[in-house]
Amino acid sequence: MTIYAIDGLIPVVHPTAYVHPSATLIGDVIVGPGCYIGPSASLRGDFGRIVLEEGANVQDTCVIHGFPDSDTVVEQDGHIGHGAVLHGCRIGKNAMVGMNAVVMDKAVVGESSIVAAMSFVKAGMDVPPRSLVMGAPARIARVLRDEEIAWKTEGTAQYHALTRRSLASMQEVEALTAVEENRPRIALAAGLPTYSTKT
Protein backbone atom coordinates (compact mmCIF):
# COMPACT_ATOMS: atom_id res chain seq x y z
CA MET A 1 0.00 0.00 0.00
CA THR A 2 1.10 3.57 -0.57
CA ILE A 3 1.08 5.44 2.73
CA TYR A 4 2.02 9.09 3.17
CA ALA A 5 2.34 11.22 6.30
CA ILE A 6 1.49 14.91 6.08
CA ASP A 7 2.00 17.55 8.78
CA GLY A 8 3.20 14.74 11.04
CA LEU A 9 -0.03 12.70 10.76
CA ILE A 10 0.44 9.08 9.71
CA PRO A 11 -2.45 6.85 8.57
CA VAL A 12 -3.49 4.09 10.97
CA VAL A 13 -4.40 0.64 9.60
CA HIS A 14 -5.60 -2.09 11.93
CA PRO A 15 -3.63 -5.34 11.39
CA THR A 16 -6.82 -7.24 10.47
CA ALA A 17 -7.68 -4.75 7.69
CA TYR A 18 -6.61 -5.28 4.09
CA VAL A 19 -5.43 -2.35 1.96
CA HIS A 20 -4.54 -3.16 -1.65
CA PRO A 21 -0.97 -2.17 -2.58
CA SER A 22 -2.21 0.26 -5.24
CA ALA A 23 -4.48 2.14 -2.81
CA THR A 24 -3.25 5.46 -1.42
CA LEU A 25 -3.71 6.65 2.18
CA ILE A 26 -2.59 10.15 3.14
CA GLY A 27 -2.43 11.73 6.59
CA ASP A 28 -5.35 11.58 9.01
CA VAL A 29 -6.85 8.27 7.92
CA ILE A 30 -7.99 5.64 10.44
CA VAL A 31 -8.84 2.17 9.10
CA GLY A 32 -10.54 -0.10 11.62
CA PRO A 33 -10.58 -3.86 12.13
CA GLY A 34 -11.60 -6.11 9.26
CA CYS A 35 -11.90 -3.31 6.70
CA TYR A 36 -11.22 -3.80 3.00
CA ILE A 37 -9.77 -1.09 0.72
CA GLY A 38 -9.64 -2.02 -2.95
CA PRO A 39 -7.24 -1.29 -5.81
CA SER A 40 -6.60 2.37 -6.67
CA ALA A 41 -8.78 3.77 -3.89
CA SER A 42 -7.64 7.19 -2.64
CA LEU A 43 -8.23 8.24 0.97
CA ARG A 44 -6.85 11.76 1.39
CA GLY A 45 -6.74 12.83 5.01
CA ASP A 46 -4.81 15.99 4.19
CA PHE A 47 -7.65 18.37 5.18
CA GLY A 48 -10.21 16.50 7.34
CA ARG A 49 -10.15 13.13 9.10
CA ILE A 50 -11.27 9.92 7.39
CA VAL A 51 -12.55 7.07 9.56
CA LEU A 52 -13.51 3.58 8.42
CA GLU A 53 -15.16 1.67 11.25
CA GLU A 54 -15.01 -2.10 11.72
CA GLY A 55 -15.93 -4.19 8.69
CA ALA A 56 -16.36 -1.28 6.27
CA ASN A 57 -15.28 -1.77 2.66
CA VAL A 58 -14.16 0.82 0.12
CA GLN A 59 -13.90 -0.67 -3.34
CA ASP A 60 -11.81 -0.01 -6.45
CA THR A 61 -11.14 3.62 -7.48
CA CYS A 62 -13.20 5.19 -4.69
CA VAL A 63 -12.20 8.68 -3.54
CA ILE A 64 -12.69 9.84 0.05
CA HIS A 65 -11.84 13.41 1.11
CA GLY A 66 -13.22 16.25 3.21
CA PHE A 67 -12.91 19.85 4.37
CA PRO A 68 -10.71 21.04 7.28
CA ASP A 69 -12.09 20.33 10.75
CA SER A 70 -14.53 17.76 9.36
CA ASP A 71 -14.72 13.98 9.55
CA THR A 72 -15.69 11.70 6.68
CA VAL A 73 -16.93 8.51 8.33
CA VAL A 74 -18.00 5.12 7.06
CA GLU A 75 -19.60 3.39 10.02
CA GLN A 76 -19.49 -0.31 10.86
CA ASP A 77 -20.15 -2.57 7.85
CA GLY A 78 -20.59 0.40 5.51
CA HIS A 79 -20.24 -0.67 1.90
CA ILE A 80 -18.83 1.77 -0.68
CA GLY A 81 -19.18 0.55 -4.28
CA HIS A 82 -16.68 0.85 -7.10
CA GLY A 83 -15.84 4.39 -8.14
CA ALA A 84 -17.93 6.16 -5.50
CA VAL A 85 -16.88 9.57 -4.12
CA LEU A 86 -17.43 10.57 -0.48
CA HIS A 87 -16.68 14.12 0.64
CA GLY A 88 -17.13 15.25 4.23
CA CYS A 89 -20.15 12.99 4.82
CA ARG A 90 -21.25 10.19 7.16
CA ILE A 91 -22.33 6.77 5.92
CA GLY A 92 -24.32 4.94 8.58
CA LYS A 93 -23.94 1.45 9.96
CA ASN A 94 -24.68 -1.26 7.37
CA ALA A 95 -25.49 1.35 4.68
CA MET A 96 -24.37 1.05 1.06
CA VAL A 97 -23.29 3.64 -1.49
CA GLY A 98 -23.63 2.26 -5.02
CA MET A 99 -21.13 2.34 -7.85
CA ASN A 100 -20.12 5.81 -9.10
CA ALA A 101 -22.42 7.57 -6.63
CA VAL A 102 -21.35 10.85 -4.98
CA VAL A 103 -22.17 11.82 -1.38
CA MET A 104 -21.38 15.43 -0.49
CA ASP A 105 -20.42 17.39 2.62
CA LYS A 106 -22.48 17.09 5.81
CA ALA A 107 -24.81 14.58 4.17
CA VAL A 108 -25.79 11.69 6.44
CA VAL A 109 -26.86 8.36 4.98
CA GLY A 110 -28.82 6.54 7.68
CA GLU A 111 -28.33 3.02 8.98
CA SER A 112 -29.13 0.21 6.52
CA SER A 113 -29.92 2.65 3.69
CA ILE A 114 -28.87 2.21 0.06
CA VAL A 115 -27.74 5.00 -2.27
CA ALA A 116 -28.36 3.76 -5.81
CA ALA A 117 -25.54 3.64 -8.34
CA MET A 118 -24.71 6.96 -10.02
CA SER A 119 -26.80 9.00 -7.59
CA PHE A 120 -25.77 12.45 -6.36
CA VAL A 121 -26.51 13.05 -2.66
CA LYS A 122 -26.32 16.81 -2.20
CA ALA A 123 -24.61 18.57 0.69
CA GLY A 124 -26.52 18.44 3.96
CA MET A 125 -29.05 15.80 2.89
CA ASP A 126 -30.28 13.65 5.78
CA VAL A 127 -31.29 10.17 4.63
CA PRO A 128 -33.43 8.31 7.18
CA PRO A 129 -32.54 4.71 8.13
CA ARG A 130 -33.69 1.92 5.77
CA SER A 131 -34.18 4.27 2.81
CA LEU A 132 -33.56 3.75 -0.87
CA VAL A 133 -32.10 6.95 -2.32
CA MET A 134 -31.69 7.51 -6.05
CA GLY A 135 -31.24 10.14 -8.74
CA ALA A 136 -29.28 13.32 -9.39
CA PRO A 137 -30.05 15.11 -7.21
CA ALA A 138 -30.91 12.12 -5.04
CA ARG A 139 -34.38 11.74 -3.57
CA ILE A 140 -35.76 9.24 -1.12
CA ALA A 141 -37.61 6.70 -3.26
CA ARG A 142 -39.05 4.42 -0.57
CA VAL A 143 -38.38 2.35 2.53
CA LEU A 144 -36.23 -0.73 1.93
CA ARG A 145 -37.73 -4.18 2.38
CA ASP A 146 -36.19 -6.66 4.82
CA GLU A 147 -34.99 -8.88 1.98
CA GLU A 148 -33.15 -5.95 0.36
CA ILE A 149 -31.34 -5.15 3.60
CA ALA A 150 -30.51 -8.86 3.96
CA TRP A 151 -29.09 -8.82 0.39
CA LYS A 152 -26.89 -5.85 1.28
CA THR A 153 -25.73 -7.48 4.52
CA GLU A 154 -24.86 -10.68 2.64
CA GLY A 155 -22.84 -8.71 0.07
CA THR A 156 -20.89 -6.99 2.82
CA ALA A 157 -20.19 -10.37 4.44
CA GLN A 158 -18.56 -11.41 1.15
CA TYR A 159 -16.22 -8.42 1.51
CA HIS A 160 -15.43 -9.46 5.10
CA ALA A 161 -14.40 -12.81 3.65
CA LEU A 162 -12.45 -11.07 0.86
CA THR A 163 -10.49 -9.16 3.50
CA ARG A 164 -9.43 -12.45 5.09
CA ARG A 165 -8.74 -14.09 1.71
CA SER A 166 -6.63 -11.12 0.59
CA LEU A 167 -4.58 -11.07 3.80
CA ALA A 168 -3.97 -14.81 3.45
CA SER A 169 -3.32 -15.21 -0.27
CA MET A 170 -3.04 -11.96 -2.27
CA GLN A 171 0.44 -11.65 -3.75
CA GLU A 172 2.10 -9.99 -6.69
CA VAL A 173 3.04 -12.53 -9.37
CA GLU A 174 4.06 -12.76 -13.02
CA ALA A 175 1.23 -13.52 -15.49
CA LEU A 176 1.09 -16.93 -17.12
CA THR A 177 1.59 -17.03 -20.87
CA ALA A 178 -1.11 -19.64 -21.52
CA VAL A 179 -4.24 -20.95 -19.85
CA GLU A 180 -3.59 -24.11 -17.85
CA GLU A 181 -5.46 -27.29 -18.68
CA ASN A 182 -8.47 -27.70 -16.35
CA ARG A 183 -7.96 -24.20 -14.95
CA PRO A 184 -9.75 -24.02 -11.58
CA ARG A 185 -12.33 -21.37 -10.70
CA ILE A 186 -12.54 -19.37 -7.50
CA ALA A 187 -14.93 -21.40 -5.37
CA LEU A 188 -17.47 -19.07 -3.77
CA ALA A 189 -21.20 -19.15 -3.23
CA ALA A 190 -22.88 -17.29 -6.08
CA GLY A 191 -24.27 -13.92 -4.98
CA LEU A 192 -27.50 -12.62 -6.46
CA PRO A 193 -27.79 -9.11 -7.93
CA THR A 194 -30.18 -6.72 -6.21
CA TYR A 195 -32.76 -6.85 -9.01
CA SER A 196 -33.30 -10.52 -8.19
CA THR A 197 -34.76 -9.53 -4.80
CA LYS A 198 -37.72 -7.74 -6.43
CA THR A 199 -41.08 -9.46 -6.11
Side-chain angles (χ1 to χ4, degrees), residues 88-118:
C89 57
R90 177 174 285 269
I91 308 303
K93 180 178 179 181
N94 200 44
M96 183 174 86
V97 175
M99 292 182 266
N100 290 312
V102 176
V103 184
M104 292 299 294
D105 300 277
K106 298 192 182 297
V108 176
V109 176
E111 181 174 346
S112 296
S113 289
I114 295 176
V115 175
M118 300 186 70

Side-chain angles (χ1 to χ4, degrees), residues 92-158:
K93 180 178 179 181
N94 200 44
M96 183 174 86
V97 175
M99 292 182 266
N100 290 312
V102 176
V103 184
M104 292 299 294
D105 300 277
K106 298 192 182 297
V108 176
V109 176
E111 181 174 346
S112 296
S113 289
I114 295 176
V115 175
M118 300 186 70
S119 295
F120 180 83
V121 178
K122 64 184 180 180
M125 184 174 185
D126 191 0
V127 176
R130 297 179 60 100
S131 297
L132 174 63
V133 177
M134 55 197 328
R139 292 192 256 288
I140 298 166
R142 61 177 171 81
V143 174
L144 288 166
R145 299 187 302 272
D146 290 343
E147 59 266 28
E148 291 170 315
I149 294 173
W151 166 84
K152 183 272 163 201
T153 301
E154 189 176 312
T156 300
Q158 291 179 347

Side-chain angles (χ1 to χ4, degrees), residues 76-93:
Q76 182 178 351
D77 294 336
H79 189 106
I80 312 303
H82 315 290
V85 177
L86 307 181
H87 203 278
C89 57
R90 177 174 285 269
I91 308 303
K93 180 178 179 181

